[in-house]
Amino acid sequence: MADGVDEPEEAAELGEKEKLEIAKWFLTNAPAGEIHYVAKDIRSILGDDKIYETAAAEAFPLYNKALLIVLELPDRSGDVIITTYGELDENNYFDPRTAQVATVDHVKQVCTNLRPASDEELPSPYIEEFRCALDAELCKYVGEAYPKGTCAVYCTRGKDVEGPGTDFEFAVVISAARHSPQNFCNGSWRSIWKLEFKDELQVVEIHGKLQVGAHYFEEGNVQLDANNECKDSTIMQSPEDCAVSITSMIHHHESEYMASLEASYLDLPDTTFKDLRRKLPVTRTLFPWHNTLQFSLTRDITKELGIGK
């Protein structure tokens, strides 16, 4: 105390654990395509390489799987999607289309090694027939609908089924991104479709989750984070017929959701933006749009300064 006034208490220094958790939060919540920019700033602010490297090692795998990032295989035979459906362990991911396993450096976001999948990691010929047919149809759809889009079909249950009579499940993953930091915008489309093939009922139940993210940051910070869920079903048929039917339904639901987003953008001026406006100004008086001359700034300044007398 000095002259009867209490000295302000200094802010308590954050411990290593708190710094680590804060750094992880910022990294895992970085917009699509921007985690390396966030990481650079986090590292500079922390000033502690040990804490940063620990945070990065924990956050990057979570971010990569959440954003369904796509990495080119070392032999350039295709791409691998970083998703829990293809995750064999923290650093190894299965690509069902090429039947290979890629070793991934999460922080650098590159594939460092590649090996053929083992027989135990591959589905049975019966399951693979359904998977391949669906994968082929999806590739056509994604190639037309999403520039630089990538898709994959994983067997999530029943990969050892040898023939009719048993249920099995697939997961369809679609990932598309548009990164243009030089134009101050980045975005991503992610959709996951869970397919339940019910042999006894001869039906395929379809459950989809769609996620869209966009970030525009020229002289501002505007973000979109939208998601939607839907479900459908179709008759279980031959692998080729199932593939066509399922892809058609995925196409329908994704196109419908995209159309709803576009419609909401058109309504923004009359709905969202209008609701953000103050109902009354701080003067509690509505602005007289019918007679704006009474608020003439030129006239008021002329009067105050005595100009034109």
Side-chain angles (χ1 to χ4, degrees):
M1 179 180 290
D3 298 328
V5 179
D6 291 334
E7 292 287 343
E9 294 184 6
E10 292 186 5
E13 176 71 20
L14 291 174
E16 287 191 6
K17 184 177 180 181
E18 288 80 6
K19 290 181 180 179
L20 176 63
E21 292 303 317
I22 292 172
K24 283 171 55 181
W25 187 91
F26 276 104
L27 289 169
T28 55
N29 285 278
E34 297 177 36
I35 189 170
H36 285 292
Y37 300 106
V38 175
K40 183 179 179 181
D41 290 339
I42 289 292
R43 187 169 202 159
S44 175
I45 293 170
L46 283 173
D48 188 319
D49 286 349
K50 181 181 177 182
I51 296 177
Y52 166 76
E53 288 168 4
T54 302
E58 295 180 17
F60 268 84
L62 298 175
Y63 177 88
N64 293 341
K65 286 182 283 187
L67 271 293
L68 300 177
I69 71 163
V70 178
L71 302 179
E72 185 179 35
L73 296 174
D75 65 353
R76 299 188 177 182
S77 61
D79 300 305
V80 61
I81 300 177
I82 307 305
T83 171
T84 54
Y85 298 108
E87 185 177 34
L88 302 180
D89 57 47
E90 187 176 351
N91 297 311
N92 290 286
Y93 291 82
F94 174 57
D95 175 46
R97 185 173 300 129
T98 64
Q100 298 181 100
V101 175
T103 301
V104 172
D105 184 323
H106 281 286
V107 176
K108 293 181 180 179
Q109 294 184 329
V110 295
C111 294
T112 59
N113 193 30
L114 192 64
R115 67 167 175 82
S118 66
D119 291 341
E120 292 74 20
E121 292 164 339
L122 295 172
S124 68
Y126 175 74
I127 295 297
E128 186 64 8
E129 190 177 1
F130 277 90
R131 196 207 65 75
C132 279
L134 181 55
D135 185 63
E137 287 296 322
L138 281 167
C139 282
K140 296 176 190 176
Y141 159 60
V142 171
E144 295 173 359
Y146 302 106
K148 299 182 180 179
T150 304
C151 63
V153 183
Y154 303 87
C155 181
T156 55
R157 186 171 73 87
K159 72 182 183 69
D160 296 324
V161 172
E162 295 291 346
T166 307
D167 297 349
F168 56 93
E169 296 178 8
F170 285 171
V172 170
V173 177
I174 299 174
S175 177
R178 179 78 179 266
H179 299 156
S180 186
Q182 70 274 15
N183 293 315
F184 307 101
C185 61
N186 294 298
S188 69
W189 171 282
R190 292 156 281 156
S191 57
I192 295 175
W193 297 87
K194 296 181 181 179
L195 315 176
E196 298 179 41
F197 290 77
K198 298 188 174 181
D199 188 87
E200 184 177 353
L201 299 175
Q202 286 295 289
V203 67
V204 183
E205 293 189 355
I206 304 169
H207 302 267
K209 182 175 182 181
L210 319 178
Q211 295 175 280
V212 183
H215 184 208
Y216 182 74
F217 49 96
E218 184 176 14
E219 298 182 359
N221 186 357
V222 180
Q223 294 196 52
L224 166 72
D225 185 7
N227 61 77
N228 184 52
E229 295 188 17
C230 50
K231 60 182 179 179
D232 213 325
S233 64
T234 186
I235 298 171
M236 189 169 175
Q237 309 167 75
S238 68
E240 292 75 18
D241 290 338
C242 268
V244 171
S245 180
I246 291 169
T247 302
S248 177
M249 289 183 173
I250 289 174
H251 184 184
H252 167 73
H253 286 289
E254 293 193 347
S255 299
E256 192 175 61
Y257 182 52
M258 185 67 73
S260 72
L261 286 176
E262 291 177 351
S264 68
Y265 300 152
L266 296 175
D267 292 337
L268 281 178
D270 296 325
T271 57
T272 307
F273 288 161
K274 187 175 181 180
D275 290 339
L276 289 173
R277 293 178 60 188
R278 186 189 295 273
K279 300 302 181 184
L280 284 175
V282 291
T283 60
R284 308 300 297 171
T285 303
L286 289 174
F287 189 83
W289 293 103
H290 60 283
N291 185 17
T292 57
L293 290 177
Q294 63 179 291
F295 286 93
S296 172
L297 181 61
T298 303
R299 188 193 64 204
D300 292 344
I301 293 176
T302 300
K303 181 179 178 180
E304 290 294 326
L305 299 180
I307 300 173
K309 288 184 179 180

